[in-house]
Amino acid sequence: MKNNLIISIILLFTFTLKAQDSVNIKNSQKDTVLLWSNNTAKTIKKGRKEIGLFAPLKIGLKDSMEISIHPIFFFIIPNIELKKYWTSFGIFDLASKHRFSYPTLLYNVISKRGIGGLLPSTSTIPQMFKFDNSILLGTTINEYITTTINVGVDLTLSFGESNFPDIEYHIIYPRTYSLNNLFTPYFGINFTGKFFANVYYEYKFTAFFMTNTNQGSILENKLKFQWNISNKFAISGGALLTYGQYPYGQDGGLFPVFDLMYGF
Amino acid sequence: MKKIFVLLGIVIIIFQSCDPFNNIIENDSETDAAFYYTTDNIVTPVIKDTLTIASWNIKFGGGRIDFFFDCYGDRVLMTKDEVISNLKNIVDEIAMISPDILYLQEVDIDSKRSAYVDELQWILDNTNLNYAYYGSQWKSDYVPSDGIGRMNSGSAILSKYPLKDAKRIPLPLIEEQSGIVQYFYLRRNILRATVTINNKNIVALTTHTSAYSSDGTRLKQLNQIKTEIDNINSAGQKFILGGDFNTIPPNSTVYENFDDDACKDDPDFAAQSFKDQLDYMKMFIDSYEPAITQANYDNDNSLYYSFTSDKKGFWNRKLDYIFTNGDFVDNSGVVIQDINTGGMETMPFSDHAPITVKYILK
């Protein structure tokens, strides 16, 4: 945990440095950072498409609406997400995200003997329909800082006999908790903007609230930097720090974040 | 300057993230990898002339549940009630033995399969043993195989007397495994600590060597264990080594085709054969005093068998040993197999039987 504390301080310090720099810069080129998709209330432009090595395929259906699917995983975990920009009032933008996925197929695949068996082969997987809905409220202060608050609930409706354990691994646990526990509320705040030249930063804090008794919350801090090589290519990298209450006790973890993205 | 600081921070972050499942126990120093335990209810021991020493692989408190890995069943996870029920049987057995020093193998302290019960703490709190050191041999935030999940299982030295100077000494990994399998697999070790009784120091060591390897890894591990105790002996110190060596003694009349081999059709679980390994333990037996003498073993192998994976069968091979460069009470070594041999039924408690011996404190 000592290492995690050091990394937390580095994450916080690097972010604070840049935030201090940005406050005196005039409000200009607000949308530069939004050329690429992000976790703000803004959507990508109509007709633009983006895909990452790990990130899903995103398509701007309208200037105010984008749709995304994860094509690689689509055949074992059918999924679709719609992001809708609704309106602006004053300096704030309002949007919502609606994601549907069907994890039953994937869970049947990973309930197996041997390597890749994340769950026991004796697991009974029900029909599971997972809905993740969130509201995003954001404001762009200048090209160096856009702040977005998001609040959401991950809800899973299950049908049929069910008997499988949770996947109690840092980043997976809060995202799959609703499969066995109906729903997971979460709250987050995101800061993103230009760091220097074509390098952008994104800091995202998310708190997941575990709804069963004696289970608290899991906090995630993600800091990543994205180098927009051009309008078509971008590279991002950073780290995700998690900490919270798991079934086995309090725990934390540090994970690298990396992606290669192509937009057109 | 700021950019350099940020880039340095990123490099540090990436470097720190190289072991995402926290499997590599050796990232900690040998002393940091040995974890100290004690109980709130310290029972002051009486100083005696002889010490009772015991070693037992307790199969993570799994009793005789049919787990997937021994081909008799498909269970992976236990409930907390099952674990506690099995641990109660184990502490009853420990109470009967009343060891002064106890070596345990396959103790789970933070594993999904044993409902996250800290078995070592539970045993300490429910026996007359006061102190312990723990060394992990299988640790992972998540083992992505067979539904095992989070794992922290290892060996422990428990004692009525204070322990100090503990170390977890790593043993060679199985080289024939692929990198990814090796990363998530068991990391064998020697756990050692010093017990001080009546101003006399004894080095206590426990180990648990590889069960399945065809590349000679187990022999390398045994050689390293032998070197470790040779060094202690050369330094003029007394030691007591006990554990699950996963190797049968010389002159064993049965060395393959064991009656509990239930995995004959499963290529992942090759039936154990010790045909070419019958002399592996000779170096220990020739150099030091074993709890079960070779003469006694030769007289009747079956009295000293300490393992079977078949709960409907009976102990069919000897894998567990205790050695010293001091003195054991003559013929005090016993494998507690059942009421008749050892005084208590042990078949339901684990796939190993405990071995005990009396050590003369000089």
Side-chain angles (χ1 to χ4, degrees):
Chain A
M1 286 317 301
K2 189 181 170 186
N3 288 341
N4 288 340
L5 183 65
I6 293 167
I7 299 306
S8 296
I9 293 167
I10 292 170
L11 287 172
L12 191 63
F13 190 57
T14 50
F15 171 73
T16 307
L17 279 176
K18 202 61 225 171
Q20 285 173 344
D21 280 356
S22 67
V23 292
N24 295 324
I25 296 170
K26 289 183 179 178
N27 186 358
S28 61
Q29 297 176 327
K30 283 184 179 178
D31 289 336
T32 307
V33 71
L34 301 175
L35 179 65
W36 291 85
S37 62
N38 50 50
N39 291 300
T40 68
K42 296 286 178 72
T43 53
I44 57 175
K45 294 186 188 328
K46 180 184 177 182
R48 181 170 170 83
K49 302 175 186 68
E50 294 174 3
I51 189 164
L53 207 57
F54 304 107
L57 170 66
K58 297 189 176 187
I59 301 168
L61 292 181
K62 300 178 186 175
D63 281 346
S64 62
M65 185 186 291
E66 66 181 54
I67 192 169
S68 65
I69 61 165
H70 216 303
I72 297 171
F73 298 125
F74 189 81
F75 295 101
I76 52 168
I77 180 164
N79 64 91
I80 188 164
E81 180 182 293
L82 190 72
K83 182 178 174 185
K84 167 73 177 166
Y85 171 85
W86 291 102
T87 186
S88 64
F89 45 92
I91 58 170
F92 294 103
D93 297 313
L94 180 67
S96 63
K97 273 186 186 179
H98 311 276
R99 183 185 303 150
F100 166 75
S101 60
Y102 176 68
T104 301
L105 294 175
L106 175 64
Y107 265 56
N108 276 317
V109 168
I110 61 174
S111 300
K112 57 174 282 204
R113 288 280 300 273
I115 295 170
L118 298 187
L119 297 173
S121 60
T122 50
S123 301
T124 304
I125 309 299
Q127 297 296 323
M128 297 184 289
F129 303 93
K130 192 168 182 282
F131 304 90
D132 185 347
N133 296 293
S134 61
I135 293 170
L136 299 93
L137 182 67
T139 182
T140 299
I141 296 167
N142 53 46
E143 68 173 318
Y144 292 93
I145 186 159
T146 295
T147 306
T148 308
I149 290 170
N150 70 306
V151 179
V153 176
D154 185 4
L155 171 75
T156 299
L157 302 177
S158 299
F159 302 94
E161 192 180 345
S162 174
N163 181 18
F164 64 96
D166 289 329
I167 299 177
E168 291 151 357
Y169 185 68
H170 306 273
I171 51 178
I172 298 175
Y173 180 59
R175 289 169 177 80
T176 55
Y177 181 81
S178 70
L179 301 182
N180 252 336
N181 300 281
L182 187 60
F183 67 100
T184 316
Y186 61 88
F187 161 83
I189 187 164
N190 177 283
F191 297 91
T192 188
K194 190 173 181 177
F195 194 63
F196 61 85
N198 290 325
V199 176
Y200 293 79
Y201 74 93
E202 181 183 355
Y203 168 76
K204 188 181 181 192
F205 167 82
T206 309
F208 297 92
F209 302 98
M210 307 296 112
T211 49
N212 258 354
T213 53
N214 299 325
Q215 297 191 17
S217 56
I218 291 174
L219 311 179
E220 288 187 354
N221 291 275
K222 183 171 77 173
L223 178 65
K224 72 172 186 178
F225 295 90
Q226 181 171 314
W227 177 25
N228 295 343
I229 300 167
S230 70
N231 290 350
K232 290 187 174 182
F233 293 101
I235 299 171
S236 68
L240 173 68
L241 181 71
T242 69
Y243 189 78
Q245 181 69 36
Y246 294 83
Y248 51 86
Q250 294 210 326
D251 195 17
L254 184 65
F255 305 90
V257 175
F258 171 76
D259 211 350
L260 293 173
M261 288 173 292
Y262 178 61
F264 53 101
Chain B
M1 187 63 193
K2 279 186 226 168
K3 291 174 187 174
I4 293 170
F5 177 78
V6 169
L7 286 172
L8 188 64
I10 292 168
V11 169
I12 292 169
I13 288 166
I14 293 169
F15 179 77
Q16 291 285 341
S17 305
C18 285
D19 179 18
F21 289 86
N22 291 312
N23 296 357
I24 304 172
I25 305 158
E26 291 75 21
N27 283 342
D28 287 331
S29 69
E30 290 183 351
T31 48
D32 287 347
F35 292 92
Y36 181 70
Y37 277 71
T38 188
T39 179
D40 292 335
N41 309 309
I42 302 285
V43 180
T44 306
V46 178
I47 304 294
K48 300 175 289 187
D49 295 333
T50 61
L51 301 176
T52 301
I53 313 297
S55 180
W56 196 5
N57 179 328
I58 61 166
K59 195 187 178 184
F60 53 90
R64 283 296 183 174
I65 292 171
D66 287 326
F67 289 97
F68 73 94
F69 51 79
D70 51 24
C71 297
Y72 283 96
D74 54 12
R75 282 287 295 276
V76 178
L77 309 176
M78 292 184 285
T79 65
K80 188 173 181 179
D81 287 346
E82 285 176 321
V83 175
I84 298 297
S85 172
N86 289 329
L87 289 178
K88 283 178 179 171
N89 290 330
I90 286 166
V91 298
D92 285 348
E93 177 70 22
I94 293 170
M96 194 207 77
I97 299 168
S98 191
D100 295 288
I101 299 170
L102 172 65
Y103 303 120
L104 295 178
Q105 300 84 43
E106 294 193 23
V107 187
D108 280 8
I109 62 163
D110 183 20
S111 302
K112 186 176 180 67
R113 67 181 178 182
S114 46
Y116 300 120
V117 174
D118 188 337
E119 297 178 345
L120 181 52
Q121 190 65 60
W122 201 94
I123 290 169
L124 268 186
D125 291 343
N126 289 278
T127 61
N128 285 337
L129 295 153
N130 297 319
Y131 312 96
Y133 268 102
Y134 170 84
S136 186
Q137 85 166 2
W138 196 10
K139 180 173 171 289
S140 180
D141 286 353
Y142 208 97
V143 178
S145 178
D146 301 292
I148 293 169
R150 187 176 180 85
M151 175 63 67
N152 194 342
S153 184
S155 303
I157 299 169
L158 300 86
S159 171
K160 288 180 180 175
Y161 305 92
L163 295 166
K164 62 182 181 183
D165 302 335
K167 284 199 289 188
R168 177 197 174 277
I169 302 159
L171 291 172
L173 303 176
I174 299 175
E175 292 172 5
E176 63 188 348
Q177 291 176 332
S178 66
I180 189 75
V181 171
Q182 192 182 72
Y183 177 65
F184 284 101
Y185 203 68
L186 286 71
R187 309 176 86 85
R188 308 288 182 166
N189 61 85
I190 307 165
L191 180 66
R192 63 172 279 179
T194 302
V195 191
T196 305
I197 307 170
N198 221 7
N199 296 321
K200 297 181 180 74
N201 287 334
I202 302 167
V203 180
L205 306 98
T206 187
T207 193
H208 185 189
T209 61
S210 292
Y212 301 99
S213 74
S214 57
D215 64 351
T217 298
R218 185 162 6 108
L219 183 57
K220 290 178 193 166
Q221 293 171 346
L222 293 170
N223 283 327
Q224 187 176 329
I225 295 162
K226 177 69 165 40
T227 302
E228 183 71 21
I229 57 174
D230 284 348
N231 290 339
I232 295 167
N233 188 49
S234 300
Q237 296 175 289
K238 296 294 182 194
F239 74 80
I240 305 171
L241 163 69
D244 174 359
F245 286 70
N246 270 313
T247 308
I248 62 173
N251 306 335
S252 294
T253 52
V254 181
Y255 48 82
E256 60 186 357
N257 298 320
F258 295 100
D259 56 20
D260 60 342
D261 284 338
C263 300
K264 292 183 174 65
D265 300 327
D266 189 336
D268 291 336
F269 293 90
Q272 274 197 308
S273 170
F274 298 96
K275 189 176 180 180
D276 301 322
Q277 304 171 12
L278 282 169
D279 60 347
Y280 277 14
M281 293 304 295
K282 197 170 184 303
M283 57 183 160
F284 295 94
I285 293 165
D286 287 351
S287 303
Y288 300 107
E289 183 174 353
I292 310 297
T293 63
Q294 187 66 41
N296 283 349
Y297 182 74
D298 290 347
N299 193 41
D300 185 349
N301 287 189
S302 66
L303 282 178
Y304 306 102
Y305 288 159
S306 62
F307 174 84
T308 179
S309 59
D310 181 9
K311 66 182 175 189
K312 294 173 184 167
F314 198 65
W315 312 111
N316 64 18
R317 72 198 88 164
K318 174 173 164 57
L319 303 179
D320 302 273
Y321 301 81
I322 302 175
F323 297 99
T324 186
N325 61 344
D327 293 300
F328 290 138
V329 174
D330 286 346
N331 298 314
S332 63
V334 177
V335 177
I336 302 176
Q337 295 181 325
D338 60 8
I339 297 282
N340 298 322
T341 310
M344 190 165 184
E345 191 66 54
T346 51
M347 271 290 293
F349 305 160
S350 169
D351 54 1
H352 286 253
I355 174 172
T356 75
V357 69
K358 300 280 187 191
Y359 176 85
I360 301 168
L361 192 60
K362 288 181 179 172

